[in-house]
Amino acid sequence: MSDFTVQIFQLRGSSYHIGVDTGEEMRATSILHMLGSITKQEIDLPEMKSIYSSFAPHLLDELEGLAEGFGISSHKAAALFSGYDVPKTEAMGCSSLLTKDYYVRNYDFSPDLYDGVFSLVQPEQAFASAGYNLQLLGRHDGVNERGLVAGLHFVSHDGYRKGVSPWTAIRMVLDTCSSLEEAVTLLKQIPHSACYNFSLGDRNGKMAEVEASPEKVTVRYGESFLSCVNHFQDEQMKRKNRPSIAGSLERNIHLLSFKKNLSHQQTFHHFKDIESPVFFTDYENLFGTLHTFSYSYHDSRILTTIAGSKQVLDVNLQDWVNGYDIPVKNLIGYIE
């Protein structure tokens, strides 16, 4: 058993200064070494800037801030944090359940390749949001001040190419989109690097799974209930699934049979329960649950926790956007 900690950052101001503050907070950690082991030494910086300028130009300012905060060059920061032209990573698992009232999700992977950061950010040039960092700039999942929630789900590397990582795509969605329709439109435009599902819900009770590959993007909408796991379900996209998707199919069957009348809090506790069919402990093989994230649209309530933790972070996002910081600095859990 080993301790497992996630830091909580609360950052407001210009995107540049949010980057500086993040870099300074993380400077004493091993994240540069970790990200350096899975990213390229250099990327095509003009190409990346051209694409990001089209979708979320403020993130370029945050990248400059990260470079300043870590005391590294802009070129190095772009390769480490931008999420552009990232080499293939091992498969990760994720399960999400969406209703008209709430969104609940588990993220499954290895603690060795995990930022260990949950950020609440309020940039001057974008919507405020809260979510778990990936490559610092990106997000595994999160929600913004307009009540738009999003998460990523790995499917396959079929057709893999140079492009925008799904975690940076999530950040772009949270920062710039105010509704499900806007998020779907953006995800149809982004040049995706691999095959991923994106689970999306908004405060109007709308929900969708965007099935995105480098060549094609399709959308599967839900009416009152939607599950999202690690395989494509659209007939046009199924050929891009991995050869073995038995685990993903089993999780989907469980989610589809889930009691539809449970509350946000009840569903959240089911997902975070170590005995749950959607909670996994195979950390050595890159398939252990690291965090549970959820959001209730009606009361702007985030409930989230990490593996093995007795703490539940309970945040009213609208209160935070209005200037009320939370007193919690980190979440403490453990990995078996």
Side-chain angles (χ1 to χ4, degrees):
M1 185 182 298
S2 59
D3 291 339
F4 176 51
T5 302
V6 167
Q7 298 183 75
I8 298 171
F9 295 162
Q10 301 181 73
L11 306 170
R12 309 175 195 268
S14 70
S15 293
Y16 173 78
H17 283 105
I18 285 174
V20 172
D21 291 345
T22 301
E24 289 178 346
E25 288 282 352
M26 297 296 289
R27 201 166 185 172
T29 72
S30 60
I31 195 165
L32 290 184
H33 175 74
M34 185 269 284
L35 292 178
S37 69
I38 59 174
T39 57
K40 294 184 175 180
Q41 290 295 309
E42 291 186 3
I43 62 170
D44 188 328
L45 193 59
E47 189 175 68
M48 183 275 289
K49 285 185 173 181
S50 176
I51 293 171
Y52 284 41
S53 292
S54 299
F55 299 113
H58 65 282
L59 292 182
L60 297 175
D61 295 331
E62 188 168 325
L63 277 171
E64 287 296 323
L66 283 166
E68 176 70 22
F70 277 104
I72 59 178
S73 71
S74 297
H75 281 74
K76 186 64 175 175
L80 287 169
F81 308 124
S82 71
Y84 184 71
D85 194 16
V86 179
K88 295 177 184 178
T89 53
E90 295 293 335
M92 55 184 78
C94 315
S95 306
S96 294
L97 183 65
L98 297 84
T99 75
K100 287 182 174 294
D101 299 315
Y102 57 79
Y103 174 106
V104 184
R105 161 184 162 83
N106 276 357
Y107 172 70
D108 312 306
F109 199 44
S110 165
D112 296 331
L113 298 171
Y114 188 66
D115 287 13
V117 176
F118 181 83
S119 291
L120 298 104
V121 297
Q122 191 170 32
E124 294 169 356
Q125 306 96 322
F127 293 132
S129 66
Y132 285 89
N133 297 47
L134 178 48
Q135 252 186 303
L136 289 184
L137 191 78
R139 297 291 186 268
H140 294 279
D141 36 46
V143 61
N144 70 16
E145 64 179 280
R146 295 299 183 92
L148 177 67
V149 63
L152 60 83
H153 307 251
F154 175 76
V155 174
S156 76
H157 290 306
D158 188 280
Y160 183 87
R161 70 178 182 189
K162 184 191 299 186
V164 177
S165 70
W167 43 94
T168 303
I170 291 286
R171 180 70 189 279
M172 290 176 173
V173 164
L174 295 175
D175 281 19
T176 68
C177 300
S178 61
S179 67
L180 180 85
E181 292 86 356
E182 290 181 7
V184 169
T185 297
L186 178 61
L187 289 170
K188 286 181 176 180
Q189 296 172 341
I190 289 173
H192 299 282
S193 60
C195 296
Y196 274 80
N197 286 324
F198 295 90
S199 51
L200 303 166
D202 71 15
R203 63 183 178 185
N204 296 317
K206 296 179 180 179
M207 65 198 81
E209 175 188 74
V210 174
E211 301 190 351
S213 75
E215 301 87 13
K216 187 177 182 64
V217 176
T218 63
V219 185
R220 187 170 64 91
Y221 292 95
E223 293 185 3
S224 61
F225 185 89
L226 187 68
S227 62
C228 189
V229 284
N230 298 103
H231 63 276
F232 288 148
Q233 299 186 51
D234 187 285
E235 287 298 329
Q236 303 175 67
M237 304 289 280
K238 285 183 176 180
R239 63 181 178 82
K240 293 185 171 296
N241 288 330
R242 284 168 286 172
S244 177
I245 57 171
S248 184
L249 290 168
E250 288 174 6
R251 280 181 284 129
N252 199 47
I253 290 170
H254 171 72
L255 294 174
L256 290 174
S257 65
F258 203 69
K259 294 179 181 178
K260 308 296 193 296
N261 60 346
L262 293 185
S263 68
H264 167 217
Q265 192 160 349
Q266 287 172 323
T267 305
F268 168 75
H269 282 284
H270 176 74
F271 269 64
K272 79 179 189 68
D273 183 354
I274 195 170
E275 301 299 328
S276 168
V278 292
F279 192 106
F280 298 91
T281 57
D282 193 5
Y283 297 99
E284 291 186 0
N285 290 311
L286 309 179
F287 207 92
T289 300
L290 296 176
H291 68 246
T292 302
F293 174 84
S294 71
Y295 181 74
S296 170
Y297 304 113
H298 299 302
D299 53 10
S300 189
R301 186 186 187 189
I302 297 169
L303 292 177
T304 188
T305 191
I306 62 173
S309 179
K310 296 182 179 180
Q311 295 172 270
V312 172
L313 184 65
D314 189 339
V315 182
N316 183 299
L317 182 60
Q318 198 56 55
D319 285 348
W320 189 86
V321 170
N322 291 337
Y324 296 94
D325 283 349
I326 60 174
V328 185
K329 301 297 182 185
N330 51 51
L331 293 170
I332 308 296
Y334 64 87
I335 299 294
E336 292 188 0

